[in-house]
Amino acid sequence: MAIAPLAAASLRVGPHGLAVSEQLVLASLRAWARARMAGDDPRELIRPGLTHISSKPVASVFVALMEHIERDAVRAMEVHCVACGGYSHDEQRVVLACGVARIAPDVALQLLRPLVATPETPVLLARTLNVALSKAGFPLPVRMWDDEPSVSATVH
C-alpha cells in the first residue's frame, strides 16, 4: 500500500519550491545514480521504494525511463548527491521533461535531446510516468514559460 502524498511531503529533496511529485522523481534519479556509482543494481533499490511511496506503475515506468536513458546516453549525466539541496541542469532536464511531456512533448524532446541520442522513447516514458504519478496522487506541475502563461501551467 502506498503512503499518502501528505506523508511524502515531509521529505524534502532538492531546491525549495519543488512539488512532492518532482521530489520523488529527483530523489529516485539521485538514488539510481548513487546505486550505479556503488556498483549496485539500482532497480532493486528504486522499485520497492517507489512502489511503497507511490505505486507499482510509477516504479516500473521510472525504471524503464532510467534504463533507456542509460542505454541511449550521449554523455554522463551530472547528478547531485541524494541529500543535496541543489539541482543540476541534467536533473532539471529530466524532472521538467516529465512535467511537460503530457502537454508539450516537443518541449520535453528539447529538454532530453542533450542527454540521449534519440529522445522520443524517453519522452513517451516521461509522459507515462506523469500519468502514473497523477493516478497515484502525485501530479507533476507543468513548468513552462510563455508570453501568456496558460491557466493550467505553473510559471517557472
Side-chain angles (χ1 to χ4, degrees), residues 56-66 124-126 128-130 132:
K56 188 174 182 175
V58 168
S60 296
V61 176
F62 180 82
V63 167
L65 173 64
M66 291 308 299
L124 290 172
L125 290 167
T128 305
L129 180 60
N130 185 311

Side-chain angles (χ1 to χ4, degrees), residues 107-129:
V107 174
L109 279 168
Q110 291 173 21
L111 286 166
L112 294 179
R113 190 163 277 125
L115 302 178
V116 292
T118 53
E120 293 80 10
T121 300
V123 168
L124 290 172
L125 290 167
R127 179 184 173 127
T128 305
L129 180 60

Side-chain angles (χ1 to χ4, degrees), residues 31-95:
W32 184 280
R34 178 69 182 126
R36 281 288 184 227
M37 289 176 57
D40 297 329
D41 182 358
R43 293 173 292 248
E44 299 308 314
L45 173 67
I46 299 302
R47 270 195 191 108
L50 268 179
T51 298
H52 178 71
I53 292 171
S54 56
S55 69
K56 188 174 182 175
V58 168
S60 296
V61 176
F62 180 82
V63 167
L65 173 64
M66 291 308 299
E67 287 174 337
H68 190 73
I69 288 174
E70 281 186 340
R71 276 193 311 270
D72 204 31
V74 294
R75 62 175 173 78
M77 284 180 59
E78 179 186 348
V79 178
H80 290 208
C81 71
V82 174
C84 182
Y87 200 29
S88 78
H89 286 110
D90 292 342
E91 291 170 330
Q92 289 178 48
R93 288 180 177 285
V94 173
V95 173

Side-chain angles (χ1 to χ4, degrees), residues 143-156:
R143 299 191 185 266
M144 293 184 63
W145 50 99
D146 214 337
D147 291 336
E148 295 181 32
S150 167
V151 175
S152 64
T154 302
V155 178
H156 184 263

